[in-house]
Amino acid sequence: MNPLIITAALTGAEVGKDQQPALPITPDEIGEAAAECVAAGAAIVHLHARWPDGRPTQDAGVYRQIIAAVRARCDAIIQVSTGGAVGMSAEERMAPLALDPEMATLSMGSVNFGDEVFLNAPADIALFADAMRARGIRPELEIFDAGMLATANRWLQKGRLPANPHVDFVLGVPGGMPATPEALLYLKSQLPAGATWSVAGLGAAQLTMGTLGIVLGGHVRVGFEDNIHFSKGVLASSNAQLVERIAGLGRTLGRPPASPDEARKMLGLV
Ligand code: KMH
Ligand code: ZN
């Protein structure tokens, strides 16, 4: 049996409460959402921070409050974002690493992001990767496009990344790889030996790519960061509703959700 590790990407940097009224923004809202998601089957919470007015921030003080609010309510694996929002500097983006979370994201290259550019120059990737290594934080390699996985493989061969990485394919960003079965199968075929992987499809592809991820033996990311709808034209009522659905599909397909502690063992965090 290969239990399913579900990551709940609760908030992101792009969605607003005007688009999704249940979007958790304050530390307490994020803590509550995390606990609901863990109860529904999530093991990892992927965290972004916001100022009270909803603007994205990488401020370590805000992340500290968010992490405390999550830890007070559940035992989720804490994964902070080093992606932040488009336009932030590398120094700004790495601030939450000082809080020593168990995991952090590490985007392996630059990609057009709608009408903007999500910039990850090699020197910045190295800055994040070295900081994570020095602090014992497990990176999750974010792959938006095929070249980023080729870069990850090169860096692994050179020992610039820890072996047996956890890789997340983010599919369907306008500018990155499309959320298609062919794209996912190609990426899976290029994974380094010993890798674990998950898939995050954007919009309606959250469900289709998630289902495919379950069938192909990977893991799945869901949540408002990538998708605010439950079905076409119908907003999800909560992040937990999206977790619950993918957890149910996992059970049906022989992949029951991993608890946070099971996921810690599977990802080499303990
Ligand atoms: N907000 C995106 C520009 C991550 O969290 O590491 C980048 C992002 C990736 O969300
Ligand atoms: Zn993110």
Side-chain angles (χ1 to χ4, degrees):
M1 193 181 66
N2 178 16
L4 180 68
I5 301 174
I6 300 174
T7 298
L10 302 172
T11 303
E14 288 82 24
V15 175
K17 277 207 194 257
D18 52 335
Q19 298 160 284
Q20 173 42 278
L23 184 76
I25 280 181
T26 68
D28 276 341
E29 287 171 351
I30 294 173
E32 283 297 319
E36 287 170 20
C37 286
V38 169
I44 302 175
V45 287
H46 170 69
L47 300 175
H48 282 255
R50 302 289 184 99
W51 294 118
D53 65 5
R55 279 177 302 128
T57 176
Q58 289 291 98
D59 182 81
V62 181
Y63 268 99
R64 183 179 286 110
Q65 291 176 41
I66 292 170
I67 292 170
V70 173
R71 289 205 173 124
R73 292 169 173 90
C74 64
D75 63 346
I77 297 170
I78 306 273
Q79 180 190 87
V80 301
S81 170
T82 63
V86 165
M88 290 176 171
S89 71
E91 288 68 26
E92 217 177 338
R93 284 167 51 185
M94 70 188 294
L97 297 181
L99 303 171
D100 293 328
E102 288 174 277
M103 295 184 81
T105 54
L106 179 62
S107 290
M108 290 308 303
S110 302
V111 63
N112 288 347
F113 202 84
D115 293 333
E116 301 179 295
V117 183
F118 180 38
L119 208 55
N120 293 285
D124 297 336
I125 304 171
L127 191 70
F128 299 144
D130 292 348
M132 288 183 213
R133 184 194 298 274
R135 305 192 80 95
I137 300 167
R138 180 110 156 102
E140 174 180 281
L141 308 184
E142 303 302 318
I143 305 299
F144 295 77
D145 211 344
M148 296 188 190
L149 188 53
T151 300
N153 278 313
R154 269 199 319 277
W155 284 41
L156 278 159
Q157 274 161 19
K158 290 182 182 158
R160 296 178 75 182
L161 294 172
N164 306 324
H166 185 55
V167 177
D168 182 40
F169 301 129
V170 185
L171 303 184
V173 170
M177 288 281 267
T180 60
E182 290 79 7
L184 183 59
L185 286 170
Y186 172 72
L187 291 169
K188 182 177 179 288
S189 78
Q190 300 300 305
L191 279 168
T196 50
W197 65 277
S198 62
V199 62
L202 263 67
Q206 183 163 92
L207 182 57
T208 52
M209 289 295 104
T211 307
L212 203 48
I214 296 171
V215 173
L216 293 173
H219 304 283
V220 181
R221 176 170 117 173
V222 296
F224 289 165
E225 173 162 348
D226 306 322
N227 166 46
I228 57 176
H229 291 105
F230 190 73
S231 55
K232 193 170 169 59
V234 180
L235 288 175
S237 58
S238 64
N239 277 292
Q241 190 189 30
L242 298 169
V243 171
E244 199 171 64
R245 175 167 59 184
I246 209 75
L249 282 169
R251 283 190 196 94
T252 302
L253 295 167
R255 305 277 315 277
S259 70
D261 277 347
E262 283 170 338
R264 283 183 175 95
K265 288 193 193 109
M266 292 163 70
L267 297 173
L269 293 168
V270 285

